[in-house]
Amino acid sequence: MKLQRMNRRALTLGALAVSGALALTACGSDDTGTDTKATGGATTGASSIKCDDAKGQLLADGSSAQKNAIDAWVKAFTAACPGVQINYKGGGSGAGVTAFTQGTVAFAGSDSALKPDDVTASKSVCTGGTAIDLPAVGGAIALAYNVPGVDNLVLDAPTLAKIFDSKITTWDDAAIKALNPTATLPSTKIQAFHRAEDSGTTDNLTKYLIATTPENWKYEGGKAWQAKGGQAASGSSGIAAQVKQTEGAIGYMELSYAKDLSTVSVETGASAPVKPSSDSATKAIAAAQVVGTGSDLSLKLDYKTKAEGAYPITLVTYEIACDKGNKADTLPATKAFLRYITSEEGQGILSGIDYAPIPADIIAKVRTTVESLA
């Protein structure tokens, strides 16, 4: 009887020990799973997002190339900071800069750095300050095409220039055949699509053509399309839709819009043609140099790169904000959002959605500048 009582007591103690261990495991689950610490009064899970005093609505407009990145960032940020609503229109870089200099948005996105006239215009809305360029996201400008039966199209700068300037008009042109000797190229008419509105993506594509084949691209460049012929569509999404539904089409767009489309590999002079990807864009952007002055961090890209695996037709999207003189009612939310998208966490999501993070030494400068916004 005594032995039975001892066995029952041992079983009871064992059960208590197991339940206690389970309780400790449950209590410690935050160490290996979700961190429920609140930042700025919001529960953010494992996120490092700091809401601070951010609240209200942020209106923004600009680059359509970064729209998919902005959408991902807004989803994460507003989940952590439910007191903030962000409405990013994505109407194109030109529209964004115009909206900013007219004072109708808190910040803008542009795939091209501000021009001197833009900076001058910004002084009327940046009280005591001026607009600055803050590089936040990079990416490849994909050349998507719709030519049934041709899966691995290779083109070079001279051929691209002639296609978009209506000097090469069919897919079986001798110049295209020379670059694709094993492909069966049809006599289908080329339908080249360009942006209808002012676009930083257009600016960067034409900068590439001007830098690499000036004899074939004699236009001055800029956000407005200048070449002859072709068809226009609005935004990267509009061009992607037209390419998808039009046999013989080719168009340029930020890579994340080309997921379901065939894309051109570009002959750069490296050992092999380079296909657009997050990695190949990152390799090209890594050679960028900061050329802005003061708080401005505009970059100079090397469109003529021949580095192995570096895709030359890239863009960097800048978030445009006032260095000083931001509106008091939107400044906390603007700083909190820009702080997040340039943080390690914000940059960390980019490669998974076909964008390129900004190189570490440059993004470090951006973070410092964001904290100084006033």
Side-chain angles (χ1 to χ4, degrees):
M1 183 65 70
K2 184 176 180 181
L3 181 61
Q4 290 176 341
R5 285 198 301 270
M6 290 176 65
N7 286 340
R8 284 197 298 271
R9 185 167 182 262
L11 287 170
T12 301
L13 290 172
L16 289 170
V18 171
S19 63
L22 289 172
L24 287 171
T25 300
C27 291
S29 63
D30 285 348
D31 295 332
T32 56
T34 301
D35 177 2
T36 58
K37 291 182 180 179
T39 56
T43 300
T44 63
S47 173
S48 62
I49 296 173
K50 296 179 180 179
C51 306
D52 295 334
D53 298 321
K55 59 183 178 180
Q57 186 178 49
L58 277 186
L59 298 179
D61 194 3
S63 163
S64 70
Q66 72 164 355
K67 182 68 163 59
N68 290 337
I70 288 283
D71 287 348
W73 282 330
V74 167
K75 183 178 180 181
F77 182 81
T78 54
C81 306
V84 181
Q85 292 180 316
I86 301 175
N87 182 357
Y88 183 82
K89 187 176 179 182
S93 297
V97 172
T98 297
F100 184 83
T101 57
Q102 291 177 347
T104 60
V105 295
F107 70 92
S110 177
D111 305 324
S112 299
L114 293 163
K115 303 296 184 186
D117 287 349
D118 300 325
V119 174
T120 299
S122 74
K123 293 180 180 180
S124 65
V125 295
C126 300
T127 306
T130 187
I132 56 173
D133 298 289
L134 299 170
V137 55
I141 300 174
L143 295 151
Y145 66 95
N146 181 348
V147 184
V150 180
D151 297 324
N152 296 295
L153 186 68
V154 175
L155 297 174
D156 60 9
T159 307
L160 283 166
K162 292 173 185 177
I163 286 173
F164 281 102
D165 199 21
S166 302
K167 293 178 180 175
I168 290 179
T169 58
T170 62
W171 282 108
D172 62 351
D173 186 272
I176 301 177
K177 283 184 175 180
L179 291 164
N180 300 273
T182 63
T184 302
L185 295 163
S187 60
T188 306
K189 181 181 178 181
I190 295 174
Q191 307 281 351
F193 285 89
H194 58 263
R195 289 285 286 275
E197 74 284 8
D198 285 2
S199 161
T201 311
T202 294
D203 190 20
N204 284 277
L205 172 66
T206 55
K207 281 179 178 175
Y208 161 75
L209 295 174
I210 291 168
T212 54
T213 184
E215 67 277 15
N216 293 301
W217 196 262
K218 299 183 181 296
Y219 304 99
E220 64 182 16
K223 294 177 184 176
W225 186 256
Q226 299 166 344
K228 300 172 183 177
Q231 301 179 60
S234 296
S236 286
S237 59
I239 290 186
Q242 290 296 330
V243 171
K244 189 171 186 177
Q245 69 188 26
T246 307
E247 187 170 326
I250 185 171
Y252 57 94
M253 65 204 70
E254 194 282 322
L255 178 61
S256 68
Y257 292 89
K259 286 181 178 294
D260 301 324
L261 300 170
S262 297
T263 56
V264 171
S265 294
V266 176
E267 176 60 64
T268 66
S271 63
V274 185
K275 205 161 188 66
S277 70
S278 177
D279 288 344
S280 63
T282 297
K283 287 180 181 179
I285 294 171
Q289 297 179 328
V290 176
V291 293
T293 57
S295 298
D296 186 87
L297 296 172
S298 55
L299 304 176
K300 182 179 181 181
L301 299 173
D302 181 10
Y303 298 102
K304 298 172 70 174
T305 181
K306 295 181 180 180
E308 295 296 326
Y311 184 77
I313 316 175
T314 57
L315 58 78
V316 168
T317 295
Y318 303 96
E319 308 312 330
I320 310 297
C322 298
D323 58 355
K324 297 178 182 178
N326 289 280
K327 294 179 181 178
D329 58 339
T330 57
L331 177 59
T334 298
K335 285 185 71 169
F337 184 63
L338 295 181
R339 179 186 296 121
Y340 162 61
I341 71 175
T342 59
S343 69
E344 183 176 348
E345 180 182 342
Q347 292 288 296
I349 72 172
L350 292 177
S351 59
I353 53 175
D354 294 320
Y355 288 93
I358 300 300
D361 58 334
I362 298 172
I363 203 67
K365 295 176 182 177
V366 178
R367 291 169 186 156
T368 300
T369 303
V370 168
E371 295 304 325
S372 72
L373 298 180

